[in-house]
Amino acid sequence: MQRESMEFDVVIVGAGPAGLTAAIRLKQLKSDCRVCVVEKGREVGAHILSGAVIEPRTLTELIPDWKARQAPLHTPALDDRFYFLSPHHRFRLPLPPELNNKGNYIVSLSALCRWLGKQAETLGVEIFPGFAATELLYQNDGSIQGIVTGEFGVDKNGEKGPNYQPGIELLARKVLLAEGCRGSLTKDLIQRFRLEGDCPQIYGIGIKEVWEVPPELHKPGRVLHTIGWPLSPHIYGGSFLYHFGEDLISVGFVIGLDYKNPTLNPFLELQKFKTHPFIRSQLEKGRRIEFGARAVNEGGFQSIPQLEFPGGMIIGAAAGFMNMPKLKGTHTAMKSAIVAAETVHHNLYQGKDLSYKKELSKTWVWKELYRARNIRPAFQKGLWWGLCYSALDSFLLRGKAPWTLKHPMHGDHGSLQKINGCKKIEYSQPDGKLTFDKLSSVYLSNTNHVENQPCHLRLQKPERAIEINWKEYGSPEQYYCPVGVYEIIKDEKGDPRLQINAQNCVHCKTCDIKDPTQNIHWIPPEGGGGPCYTHM
């Protein structure tokens, strides 16, 4: 069965904030521009997860009348608080200028993307949800000429079933990769064209729950961040609690994936965090209604890759436009998409030869990320050094230091220590009311995959799972995965084997990042699989 093909002017991979912004801007500039957006989630917004407090400046630039169009920005940020936690107490700290959220909004980013999708479709953008981009199409000269969507109806043995459908070739004059953090096509393309930045990208894992609480506990517009307990001073991370919507609180925990102890369990760190008296008091009378997890870029300015490749561009979180000190990346991702769309328009239709990177470097995005560049790497020496340097950089130097700190060149996976040199971290059992296990959390992510399909978590050398990961590192994948995808099973002789529960996967990409020998390769499953977020 031959693949069908369709032709467009621009194909965009990913219906997140950046992908949809680029599509909208292209149609604003030229209404008859043929624009297609492919999205691996079963609907627009299904795979979108963020805190999220957003700066509306880029949304206002893109759609000035967004309020009249009823964009889902309903909760202005009104009350910023920043705390250091000890095991039983809290200490309010001076608010860093980067965390001043006056004029910003607490939102569900998945809801915002659904709204952006409707704005794009109104302009004539063709959006294909439930279609994963699994392959790049190359011309004879090596440039990209389009993408191929994934097949349907292939069974777990790789055989074509009775309902088999081949992928579709989507050909384009330009391809924009807006896959988000650690996109599979972007990862392969950066390696193929050697587009790496000055430093390797580094990452964190963000784990989030949405709680519904009694009205008397809800403080609309409150934005709360914490550092300290339960993490040791040598681990980068912290929490957020955002009061938004109708009696909802977003509770999240972000941990840098450059941690060393292979038994650290990010999911259980979040559960432990909720037992702090201050946090417990805000949640224990409520109920958890949603759960999700996603990797986040932390590398900042030093880790931005080359943004252009023959035939296309990398935009949004796929390129790492995250301002880590602000804990925000939506506004920068959307602005990068506007600049990319305008560059494509000028080059395709006005005969110009503009550089996307050069045009972006003229904007406030470049200046903002440059000023923030030294904060995250300062925490390599621990919490106290990082806080001291951050205060110096933010209040005195204001991001204009005559030096640029670097990230380690080995990447996050290279930071893991061998299991023999580490003390196993012990965690309490969940109570099912305030703290929970991984399997009940998967249920609240609305995750679903077609069961009889090839495993989308590929071990390049399966024997390494036991010979290296288990014997040398204690199988860290069973700890860092937030939804129990990786499980060590022992037979009657006590010999271990790795079991992969791929149906649990929420597409956070942590395994693709943190595996110590980079043996786990995440690829998109059959289109439409994965979580289906509503409040994330």
Side-chain angles (χ1 to χ4, degrees), residues 12-16 18-19 38-40 47-48 132-134 136 176-189 294 314-319 509 522 524:
I12 300 170
V13 180
V38 293
E39 165 57 40
K40 63 184 175 66
H47 290 177
I48 301 298
T134 59
L136 293 167
L176 303 184
L177 295 181
E179 298 178 285
C181 176
R182 195 68 171 196
S184 54
L185 293 184
T186 307
K187 171 189 166 184
D188 293 342
L189 184 137
R294 188 69 170 92
I314 307 172
I315 65 175
K509 311 293 183 66
W522 190 99

Side-chain angles (χ1 to χ4, degrees), residues 288-309:
R288 189 177 69 149
I289 63 172
E290 195 166 3
F291 169 88
R294 188 69 170 92
V296 58
N297 299 298
E298 293 187 349
F301 187 83
Q302 298 91 315
S303 300
I304 296 173
Q306 299 301 310
L307 300 174
E308 295 174 270
F309 54 87

Side-chain angles (χ1 to χ4, degrees), residues 222-419:
R222 176 167 290 177
V223 175
L224 189 154
H225 295 100
T226 78
I227 56 174
W229 189 90
L231 296 179
S232 78
H234 301 293
I235 300 172
Y236 181 80
S239 80
F240 61 84
L241 277 82
Y242 302 152
H243 293 242
F244 76 109
E246 296 292 329
D247 300 329
L248 300 178
I249 301 180
S250 290
V251 184
F253 211 84
V254 179
I255 295 179
L257 288 177
D258 55 353
Y259 66 82
K260 298 178 180 180
N261 190 323
T263 68
L264 186 139
N265 192 318
F267 173 87
L268 292 180
E269 293 291 339
L270 169 61
Q271 305 310 310
K272 186 177 180 180
F273 162 74
K274 290 185 295 179
T275 66
H276 190 280
F278 177 53
I279 307 304
R280 178 189 291 272
S281 67
Q282 301 181 62
L283 301 177
E284 63 182 351
K285 294 182 181 180
R287 66 185 184 98
R288 189 177 69 149
I289 63 172
E290 195 166 3
F291 169 88
R294 188 69 170 92
V296 58
N297 299 298
E298 293 187 349
F301 187 83
Q302 298 91 315
S303 300
I304 296 173
Q306 299 301 310
L307 300 174
E308 295 174 270
F309 54 87
M313 304 170 182
I314 307 172
I315 65 175
F321 294 120
M322 174 73 176
N323 185 330
M324 203 59 202
K326 274 190 175 182
L327 302 177
K328 294 177 182 63
T330 302
H331 65 302
T332 49
M334 292 176 67
K335 180 62 177 178
S336 77
I338 289 176
V339 174
E342 292 173 347
T343 303
V344 168
H345 174 79
H346 289 309
N347 292 349
L348 289 185
Y349 305 115
Q350 297 184 351
K352 297 183 179 180
D353 186 23
L354 299 182
S355 162
Y356 164 42
K357 181 178 180 180
K358 184 176 292 187
E359 295 303 307
L360 188 62
S361 68
K362 299 175 184 177
T363 70
W364 53 264
V365 169
W366 216 249
K367 297 180 180 67
E368 178 178 314
L369 295 179
Y370 180 78
R371 287 197 300 267
R373 71 195 184 283
N374 285 330
I375 301 296
R376 174 61 178 93
F379 283 85
Q380 293 172 25
K381 295 184 179 181
L383 176 63
W384 306 119
W385 172 264
L387 286 177
C388 292
Y389 181 85
S390 297
L392 172 69
D393 197 279
S394 298
F395 291 102
L396 183 62
L397 300 176
R398 300 186 182 276
K400 298 179 181 179
W403 57 78
T404 296
L405 304 179
K406 301 295 185 181
H407 302 297
M409 297 306 292
H410 54 59
D412 289 328
H413 67 280
S415 64
L416 272 182
Q417 295 178 346
K418 301 292 180 69
I419 187 68

Side-chain angles (χ1 to χ4, degrees), residues 18-189:
L20 293 169
T21 295
I24 290 169
R25 187 63 185 137
L26 284 164
K27 296 295 280 189
Q28 289 174 338
L29 292 167
K30 193 173 191 298
S31 61
D32 61 349
C33 178
R34 296 166 298 169
V35 182
C36 167
V37 180
V38 293
E39 165 57 40
K40 63 184 175 66
R42 71 192 78 165
E43 61 184 42
V44 173
H47 290 177
I48 301 298
L49 183 151
S50 184
V53 178
I54 70 165
E55 293 186 12
R57 62 188 298 183
T58 315
L59 180 61
T60 301
E61 178 183 351
L62 181 70
I63 304 175
D65 61 340
W66 56 265
K67 290 184 179 180
R69 297 193 194 190
Q70 298 182 322
L73 280 70
H74 306 305
T75 308
L78 301 174
D79 179 17
D80 285 301
R81 302 187 180 197
F82 183 43
Y83 292 100
F84 173 81
L85 298 185
S86 69
H88 303 289
H89 299 92
R90 71 184 190 273
F91 304 90
R92 192 164 182 176
L93 300 176
L95 189 71
E98 297 87 354
L99 293 182
N100 185 335
N101 285 295
K102 183 179 180 180
N104 298 335
Y105 290 82
I106 308 171
V107 304
S108 158
L109 195 59
S110 56
L112 178 60
C113 285
R114 286 193 292 273
W115 180 84
L116 285 171
K118 292 177 181 177
Q119 309 308 305
E121 289 179 323
T122 299
L123 293 171
V125 175
E126 297 185 52
I127 302 178
F128 299 155
F131 287 85
T134 59
E135 181 183 345
L136 293 167
L137 290 173
Y138 294 88
Q139 301 194 74
N140 291 334
D141 63 0
S143 62
I144 305 297
Q145 65 172 345
I147 61 101
V148 181
T149 64
E151 300 172 305
F152 288 86
V154 177
D155 68 23
K156 62 183 179 182
N157 298 315
E159 301 293 331
K160 298 174 182 178
N163 299 318
Y164 172 76
Q165 297 178 33
I168 302 172
E169 294 183 356
L170 301 178
L171 306 177
R173 299 169 70 184
K174 288 292 180 182
V175 173
L176 303 184
L177 295 181
E179 298 178 285
C181 176
R182 195 68 171 196
S184 54
L185 293 184
T186 307
K187 171 189 166 184
D188 293 342
L189 184 137

